């Protein structure tokens, strides 16, 4: 790629067997626009679930998702294809922060998380990433991912106050249909349609909800066709900031996994761009925190689109960012998304939260984590119980809950036990692989 332009790949119409369209290349603009729009469709289901579950505005989330994607491409110098959508790692801290101090406090937590991630990115860009691998070996990363997913289990089931219910309990029939639709689409279809099982399942559930009279479309009729999304000014409460800091570690794993996946599929050395990717996602999350959007991260669904099409052109992602921005400027579109009822969300969340939890186990399996070693076994065991039971601890104005405490336990106990075992020679030191693949798949 020369500068910021793209060279045309081959005849611009097709990709020969065994070849890929590199980030610095593109197909003809007509095909590039089509693939870019496909990326927007791919991220829809997962990106919108976060604001719908947390009570954020879908229109605002999409607005900052579009800006964040463009910012990511700029910071990575147009060499790393990625769409930035909503991160599920933010759901639990947003929920706790909103309950404690309102939505503006949750937005402030997102902003601080973004700044912290950007700082990690600067350090990684200057000093390399070996220290990240040392701090978070696969047993620790897998444990953190697992406890985040399982900590959210009660939110999937929901709660009831009188006749007002949330989650799966709000509409069990609709939730069950949604869940089954997601499961069946995953195994009935190959390629990109199978990857879009969340979106398809939500659409099926929404259709059932319409038939059952569970959808209120009055807000859609009243909404304008064109207009800016609603913005939320952040406020900062030290008592809840501890809830958000573990998310930084998850975002690091997701971004590093994304860079390694793209590098493997394009046969390109992208290690020099790991720091830039972390800075870019950090700045995008910070930007979202300035105005009320959900925190952002790279997306496995879009990795799936690239793998299926063999097109890794960053030009397609500029198209995706522009398309998402245009949609975000329609309050009517945002209002339509916001009508998705609790039953549909509960069914989808049941699948998603469980998958997030088991993706932690997948990290263990892929990296052959040896749980016969107490240095691996005990930190993971203790951290999972702390996260699933949602232990809490207050220190002055600061309040730490299951995810934060479980993350601290996983990291602290692992390194403590490893140091003591090495000093005493009581146990063999566990192997620490140099990378954790698959971190970018936390959304699918």
């Amino acid at each position: 790629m020369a500068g910021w332009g793209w060279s045309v790949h081959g005849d611009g119409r097709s990709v020969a067997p065994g070849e890929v369209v590199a980030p610095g290349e593109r197909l003809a603009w007509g095909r590039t626009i089509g693939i870019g729009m496909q990326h927007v469709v791919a991220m829809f289901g997962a990106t919108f679930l976060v604001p719908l579950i947390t009570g954020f505005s879908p229109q605002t989330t999409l607005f900052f998702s579009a800006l964040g994607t463009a910012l990511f491409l700029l910071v990575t110098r147009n060499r790393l294809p990625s769409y930035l959508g909503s991160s599920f790692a933010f759901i639990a801290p947003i929920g706790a922060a909103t309950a404690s101090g309102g939505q503006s406090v949750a937005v402030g937590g997102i902003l601080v998380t973004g700044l912290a991630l950007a700082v990690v990115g600067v350090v990684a860009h200057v000093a390399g990433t070996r220290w990240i691998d040392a701090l978070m070996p696969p047993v620790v990363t897998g444990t953190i991912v697992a406890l985040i997913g399982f900590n959210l289990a009660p939110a999937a089931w929901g709660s009831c106050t009188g006749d007002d219910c949330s989650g799966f309990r709000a509409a069990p029939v609709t939730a069950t249909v949604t869940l089954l639709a997601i499961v069946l689409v995953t195994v009935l279809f190959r390629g990109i349609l199978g990857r879009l099982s969340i979106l398809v399942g939500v659409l099926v559930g929404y259709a059932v909800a319409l038939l059952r009279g569970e959808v209120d479309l009055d807000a859609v009729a009243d909404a304008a066709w064109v207009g800016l999304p609603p913005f939320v000014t952040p406020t900062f409460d030290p008592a809840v900031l501890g809830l958000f800091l573990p998310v930084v570690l998850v975002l690091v794993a997701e971004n590093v996994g994304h860079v390694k996946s793209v590098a493997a599929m394009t046969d390109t050395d992208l290690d020099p761009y790991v720091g830039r990717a972390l800075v870019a996602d950090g700045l995008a999350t910070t930007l979202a925190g300035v105005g009320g959007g959900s925190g952002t991260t790279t997306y496995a669904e879009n990795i799936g689109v690239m793998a299926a099409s063999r097109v890794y052109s960053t030009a397609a992602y500029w198209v995706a960012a522009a398309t998402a921005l245009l949609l975000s400027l329609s309050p009517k579109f945002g209002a339509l998304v916001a009508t998705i009822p609790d039953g549909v969300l509960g069914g989808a969340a049941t699948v998603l939260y469980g998958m997030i939890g088991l993706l932690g186990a997948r990290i263990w399996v892929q990296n052959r984590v040896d749980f016969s070693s107490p240095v691996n076994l005990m930190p993971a065991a203790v951290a999972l119980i702390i996260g699933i039971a949602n232990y809490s601890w207050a220190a002055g104005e600061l309040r730490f809950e299951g995810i934060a405490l479980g993350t601290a336990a996983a990291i602290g106990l692992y390194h403590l036990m490893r140091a003591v075992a090495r000093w005493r020679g009581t146990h063999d030191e566990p192997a620490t692989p140099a990378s954790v693949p698959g971190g970018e798949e936390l959304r699918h």
Side-chain angles (χ1 to χ4, degrees):
M1 178 171 56
W4 288 86
W6 298 272
S7 59
V8 178
H9 178 87
D11 60 5
R13 294 190 299 273
S14 60
V15 185
E19 294 185 357
V20 298
V21 179
E25 299 178 323
R26 65 170 176 83
L27 296 177
W29 277 114
R31 295 176 185 270
T32 297
I33 291 172
I35 292 172
M37 291 181 172
Q38 191 176 9
H39 279 300
V40 175
V41 173
M43 65 81 193
F44 258 23
T47 288
F48 283 130
L49 279 176
V50 175
L52 290 172
I53 290 170
T54 59
F56 278 32
S57 164
Q59 184 187 0
T60 307
T61 293
L62 185 60
F63 178 80
F64 285 109
S65 173
L67 294 184
T69 298
L71 182 61
F72 186 96
L73 295 171
L74 287 172
V75 173
T76 59
R77 301 177 64 183
N78 229 19
R79 286 170 168 80
L80 189 59
S82 178
Y83 188 93
L84 296 188
S86 304
S87 171
F88 283 106
F90 281 97
I91 293 177
I94 287 176
T98 301
S100 173
Q103 195 174 89
S104 63
V105 170
V107 172
I110 292 172
L111 191 156
V112 171
T113 302
L115 291 175
L117 180 61
V119 170
V120 173
V122 171
V123 175
H125 185 68
V126 174
T129 59
R130 291 182 63 85
W131 64 275
I132 296 176
D133 300 327
L135 176 66
M136 296 192 303
V139 63
V140 172
T141 305
T143 300
I144 295 172
V145 172
L147 68 85
I148 284 177
F150 295 140
N151 174 269
L152 290 167
W157 176 237
S159 60
C160 284
T161 303
D163 294 331
D164 184 18
C165 294
S166 63
F168 203 100
R169 299 173 68 179
V173 173
T174 301
T176 301
V177 171
T178 303
L179 188 156
L180 290 176
I182 294 172
V183 171
L184 291 176
V185 169
T186 303
V187 293
L188 283 173
F189 302 101
R190 297 179 181 271
I192 186 60
L193 190 57
R195 281 267 179 183
L196 296 179
S197 59
I198 296 171
L199 176 61
V200 176
V202 167
L203 291 175
V204 171
Y206 190 83
V208 172
L210 278 172
L211 293 174
R212 292 173 56 85
E214 298 168 356
V215 180
D216 183 0
L217 295 173
D218 290 344
V220 180
D222 295 337
W225 281 102
V226 179
L228 288 172
F231 297 113
V232 177
T233 302
T235 57
F236 303 96
D237 182 357
V240 303
L241 293 182
L243 302 171
F244 286 88
L245 293 182
V247 177
V248 176
L249 304 179
V250 178
L251 296 179
V252 168
E254 290 178 340
N255 279 277
V256 171
H258 179 83
V259 174
K260 291 184 181 297
S261 294
V262 174
M265 290 186 288
T266 59
D267 194 24
T268 305
D269 179 18
L270 294 174
D271 285 350
Y273 292 93
V274 171
R276 285 181 175 271
L278 294 171
V279 170
D281 191 16
L283 293 177
T285 297
T286 302
L287 183 62
V290 169
S294 298
T296 62
T297 190
T298 55
Y299 255 51
E301 285 85 344
N302 298 100
I303 285 280
V305 173
M306 290 190 287
S309 64
R310 291 179 292 147
V311 176
Y312 298 86
S313 172
T314 53
Y317 282 95
W318 280 106
V319 172
T323 303
L325 182 62
L326 288 175
L327 289 174
S328 74
L329 296 177
S330 173
K332 192 172 288 291
F333 176 77
L336 179 63
V337 174
T339 62
I340 298 176
D342 281 346
V344 176
L345 298 177
T350 300
V351 179
L352 286 167
Y353 297 167
M355 288 178 66
I356 292 171
L358 289 179
L359 280 171
R362 181 182 177 186
I363 291 174
W364 295 334
V365 171
Q366 287 180 328
N367 290 276
R368 298 183 177 88
V369 174
D370 180 13
F371 281 111
S372 67
S373 168
V375 177
N376 285 331
L377 178 64
M378 288 190 180
V382 172
L384 283 175
I385 293 302
I386 290 174
I388 294 170
N390 201 35
Y391 284 31
S392 62
W393 175 58
E397 292 187 356
L398 290 174
R399 180 176 177 82
F400 302 92
E401 296 192 355
I403 292 177
L405 295 176
T407 298
I411 296 174
L413 289 178
Y414 172 82
H415 289 288
L416 174 63
M417 293 184 68
R418 184 181 178 207
V420 173
R422 180 190 298 173
W423 170 56
R424 293 288 294 166
T426 52
H427 296 284
D428 293 333
E429 184 173 335
T432 305
S435 63
V436 181
E440 82 287 352
E441 296 192 3
L442 292 182
R443 275 82 46 211
H444 190 82

